[in-house]
């Protein structure tokens, strides 16, 4: 499964990550930047380290799980 991870820094300088499952691909960097700017502007999320203060990064992460058979 793929996931879009949006990373922000908060008032304590810690990283807060918010994830969106099954993102639209290919990713549109300008739309992701605009969405992150809007999240900051609207102060949408609260963290234990205070308000979000800046964008850190955005990435699409894919997790591959391979089950191992047990005898």
């Amino acid at each position: 499964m793929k996931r879009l991870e949006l990373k922000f820094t908060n008032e304590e300088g810690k990283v807060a990550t918010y994830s969106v499952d099954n993102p639209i691909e290919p990713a549109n960097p300008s739309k992701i930047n605009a969405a992150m700017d809007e999240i900051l502007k609207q102060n949408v999320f609260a963290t234990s380290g205070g308000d979000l203060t800046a964008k850190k990064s955005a990435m699409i992460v894919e997790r591959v799980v391979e089950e191992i058979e047990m005898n």
Side-chain angles (χ1 to χ4, degrees):
M1 173 179 21
K2 290 187 180 182
R3 170 179 298 182
L4 172 64
E5 291 188 354
L6 307 175
K7 295 185 182 275
F8 298 88
T9 53
N10 63 22
E11 291 175 323
E12 289 184 353
K14 295 181 181 176
V15 177
T17 303
Y18 298 94
S19 300
V20 179
D21 291 339
N22 302 312
I24 295 171
E25 290 190 272
N28 183 323
S30 62
K31 287 185 179 183
I32 292 170
N33 267 302
M36 292 178 78
D37 287 339
E38 193 64 24
I39 288 168
L40 289 170
K41 179 181 170 186
Q42 297 292 325
N43 198 21
V44 175
F45 299 111
T47 72
S48 60
D51 292 341
L52 300 177
T53 57
K55 297 180 288 187
K56 181 167 177 64
S57 64
M59 62 190 77
I60 292 181
V61 177
E62 184 172 12
R63 181 174 177 219
V64 177
V65 178
E66 183 177 330
E67 192 170 330
I68 299 171
E69 283 191 41
M70 306 300 293
N71 293 331

